Amino acid sequence: VLYVMKKAALIFFCLLSVISTYAQFNDPYRISYDGENYYISNKGDGTITKTRNGIPSTIITGLHSPNDLFFGAIAGNSVILLLDSNLVKIYDSTSNGLLLTLPITGAQEAHDGIFNPNNTNEFFISDRTGNKIIKGVIGPAPFYPVTFTTLATNIIKPTGMIFNSLGKLVVVSDTVNANIYEINIATGTSSIALSTSIDSINDIAQDNESNYYITNWGDDKLNRTT
């Protein structure tokens, strides 16, 4: 059984001013939440910072280019999964020791990761340079092999992803006048859900009232849409 909680990018903006009073980070890039602790990837020095109640500690070092973080339980073990360049690195969440490193088949720039909330043996990775979405599947016991296939192509510079309140995979893109896509995870069919005048979208989150929040580094704004 694999359980995961998708990080909410919006939380970063709500908490950054509080957290920054307790710690300095090194080019912080992504933030994730496991229900008790926040985890921040630092691209500047290749580390992961864990913070709880504003008290930070460095728990993982030696990474090349840490992007997204997400959490799960594989074979009964609670784990942290990291996208480090084009590798998935799996760490024990108690000892923070490295358990396994897997190359992501066909990836050019693995950017964002998310598990299927209805089938937690499946997860998806956005490939920003490869213009595609990659699907990962965790196999059965006793070895739990992970295989990667291409789910969808022609998704121009995909970055952040969520499963929205309707259970659809929503993907944003890092382009001028960026598109927001919806992808059928059963068939890989994609469609443009919204064409925007927003440049360089990086991530997306949804609140309990179904509003979307979109970060775009190109305009340095946080946008809301319904």
Side-chain angles (χ1 to χ4, degrees):
V1 177
L2 184 75
Y3 172 74
V4 64
M5 296 185 67
K6 170 66 178 173
K7 57 95 188 83
L10 179 61
I11 296 175
F12 180 78
F13 294 94
C14 297
L15 295 177
L16 181 59
S17 61
V18 175
I19 294 173
S20 62
T21 64
Y22 294 91
Q24 293 295 318
F25 300 99
N26 195 324
D27 192 10
Y29 192 69
R30 279 287 190 269
I31 187 167
S32 295
Y33 181 60
D34 68 357
E36 295 182 344
N37 310 289
Y38 296 95
Y39 298 77
I40 298 95
S41 64
N42 299 289
K43 277 187 171 289
D45 59 4
T47 63
I48 303 298
T49 300
K50 174 182 175 180
T51 181
R52 186 175 187 179
N53 298 325
I55 302 174
S57 60
T58 299
I59 61 168
I60 296 172
T61 62
L63 301 172
H64 179 259
S65 181
N67 286 334
D68 208 11
L69 310 89
F70 39 110
F71 308 93
I74 300 176
N77 298 312
S78 177
V79 295
I80 304 170
L81 295 94
L82 302 178
L83 298 183
D84 186 23
S85 297
N86 292 318
L87 302 172
V88 171
K89 294 184 177 180
I90 303 175
Y91 291 82
D92 182 271
S93 64
T94 301
S95 68
N96 303 316
L98 179 63
L99 300 175
L100 187 64
T101 298
L102 297 170
I104 304 169
T105 305
Q108 297 183 47
E109 186 187 351
H111 189 276
D112 205 43
I114 188 172
F115 279 88
N116 181 353
N118 298 313
N119 179 1
T120 50
N121 288 326
E122 295 181 347
F123 60 95
F124 304 92
I125 296 170
S126 61
D127 185 346
R128 183 179 177 276
T129 298
N131 299 320
K132 61 189 175 184
I133 305 300
I134 296 171
K135 177 181 177 180
V137 176
I138 300 171
F143 300 112
Y144 303 95
V146 179
T147 56
F148 297 97
T149 57
T150 297
L151 173 71
T153 57
N154 297 319
I155 311 296
I156 308 303
K157 290 189 176 181
T159 50
M161 301 185 295
I162 60 168
F163 277 91
N164 67 12
S165 58
L166 300 177
K168 296 180 179 180
L169 181 61
V170 178
V171 183
V172 296
S173 54
D174 183 8
T175 63
V176 174
N177 295 328
N179 290 326
I180 299 175
Y181 299 87
E182 285 185 355
I183 299 176
N184 183 325
I185 62 170
T187 65
T189 303
S190 64
S191 60
I192 296 176
L194 180 65
S195 295
T196 77
S197 59
I198 302 170
D199 297 338
S200 304
I201 298 178
N202 188 57
D203 213 351
I204 184 170
Q206 188 178 38
D207 65 18
N208 292 333
E209 297 177 351
S210 297
N211 298 302
Y212 291 105
Y213 296 84
I214 300 167
T215 59
N216 60 307
W217 64 267
D219 296 335
D220 297 327
K221 293 178 181 178
L222 176 65
N223 297 274
R224 184 177 72 173
T225 184
T226 57

